[in-house]
Amino acid sequence: MSARRTPTASVLYDAPGPRTRRRIAIASAVTVIVVGAALVLALREFASHGQLDAERWAPFASWPIWSYLLVGLRGTLQAAAVTAVLSAAVGVLLALGRLSRARLVRWPATAYIEVARSLPVLLLIYVTLFGLPRYGIDLPLLWKLVLPLTVANSAAFAEIFRAGILSLPRGQDEAARSLGMSGAQSMRLVVLPQAVRRVTPSVVTQLVSLLKDTSLGYVVAFTELLFRAQVLASYNRLLVQTFLVVTLMYLVVNGLLSALASRLQDASRRRTPTTPDVPLLAAKEIHA
């Protein structure tokens, strides 16, 4: 049997046509103009109230201030990393559960995904903070933030992975089964690796949203970036300057993640349809 893939698109949606690209370009230009105008107006307003004076920004030229904020950034990245790993793992299981033919597996997985996607993350944090201790479950500070974020984001990851699996041609699974693999082996060795590769840009984009959700850590007094900014602003009385600096830090980190997602998406589009399917070839060698 040929190990070459059926000519299909390597992305989850059709490429936009000339008219759509023109509309996107116009919308992007209008957005840039509006955002630029809003930024200019904001700077003029800050300047009129003395918020751009040099002495108000002088404290941020010292290392102790940056050291204090970088500790918060480290907490933000730590919470985001732990949540991302757990959410991705649980998301894969939920996606497989929702695609299962067994109702006893599919129905609970579907119910979990729909409920978790409908609940606000802040509500889940309040449940972890105030509800669980009433039943004798008092989690460490980090997990009071990570657990509700995992509950919410695992459902989002599940839908991303499910879309990736459904986007693959059925011939991949059929080819694996023709080699004598079981359904579980086909999913683990052939289908899932390709699905994960296809949705990697979407996964990275979800990480941007996840990273922003960690700012809710101030509710549980977890040492993350926004919490440190609040403490610092109450100490130095430089509310505008402190939060502008923190905003810039968020923009840099999320900008790097967005750039990574764009590069991964471009790399996925450059893949040729006739490229030998590496997961299927590897599975064939393992089965042999």
Side-chain angles (χ1 to χ4, degrees):
M1 173 179 291
S2 173
R4 294 184 179 273
R5 293 173 54 184
T6 304
T8 56
S10 60
V11 293
L12 300 181
Y13 52 87
D14 294 332
R19 181 178 300 178
T20 302
R21 288 198 299 268
R22 185 164 53 252
R23 291 176 178 175
I24 292 175
I26 294 174
S28 300
V30 172
T31 302
V32 170
I33 293 173
V34 171
V35 172
L39 182 60
V40 170
L41 291 176
L43 291 176
R44 290 183 59 183
E45 188 69 18
F46 287 150
S48 64
H49 290 80
Q51 297 295 336
L52 299 182
D53 295 345
E55 60 271 13
R56 288 183 171 271
W57 293 92
F60 295 96
S62 61
W63 171 246
I65 296 293
W66 282 102
S67 177
Y68 184 81
L69 292 176
L70 288 175
V71 171
L73 179 60
R74 183 181 63 187
T76 293
L77 296 177
Q78 178 187 9
V82 175
T83 303
V85 172
L86 294 178
S87 298
V90 176
V92 169
L93 296 178
L94 289 172
L96 296 178
R98 190 163 188 176
L99 293 172
S100 175
R101 296 180 179 178
R103 295 180 179 179
L104 292 179
V105 177
R106 185 175 68 254
W107 287 357
T110 302
Y112 176 94
I113 292 173
E114 295 301 328
V115 171
R117 293 174 62 193
S118 303
L119 295 177
V121 179
L122 186 59
L123 177 60
L124 296 175
I125 292 178
Y126 281 142
V127 170
T128 306
L129 184 60
F130 301 113
L132 294 184
R134 292 190 176 185
Y135 298 94
I137 304 176
D138 192 9
L139 299 174
L141 201 57
L142 173 64
W143 291 97
K144 288 181 180 179
L145 175 62
V146 168
L147 180 60
L149 290 181
T150 299
V151 171
N153 284 275
S154 60
F157 277 107
E159 290 298 273
I160 292 175
F161 291 133
R162 185 172 73 96
I165 293 173
L166 293 177
S167 71
L168 293 175
R170 296 191 54 171
Q172 296 295 318
D173 180 65
E174 294 172 355
R177 289 174 180 268
S178 69
L179 296 174
M181 295 184 188
S182 64
Q185 289 177 322
S186 172
M187 179 63 68
R188 178 169 57 89
L189 298 175
V190 178
V191 176
L192 196 56
Q194 295 181 78
V196 171
R197 186 177 63 226
R198 283 195 174 195
V199 301
T200 296
S202 299
V203 169
V204 177
T205 302
Q206 180 63 27
L207 292 179
V208 175
S209 176
L210 188 158
L211 186 67
K212 292 186 294 184
D213 287 342
T214 59
S215 61
L216 294 172
Y218 76 91
V219 177
V220 298
F222 176 71
T223 304
E224 47 82 38
L225 185 55
L226 186 59
F227 178 75
R228 287 251 162 172
Q230 291 177 328
V231 174
L232 180 61
S234 64
Y235 171 76
N236 61 16
R237 307 297 180 183
L238 299 174
L239 181 66
V240 173
Q241 290 75 16
T242 300
F243 281 99
L244 283 178
V245 169
V246 170
T247 299
L248 179 61
M249 296 174 71
Y250 274 114
L251 288 175
V252 170
V253 175
N254 288 330
L256 292 175
L257 288 175
S258 299
L260 176 61
S262 298
R263 290 179 65 89
L264 291 174
Q265 190 171 13
D266 291 340
S268 177
R269 288 176 176 175
R270 285 195 298 267
R271 289 179 57 86
T272 57
T274 57
T275 301
D277 200 318
V278 176
L280 185 56
L281 291 176
K284 183 176 181 179
E285 294 176 357
I286 293 174
H287 184 72

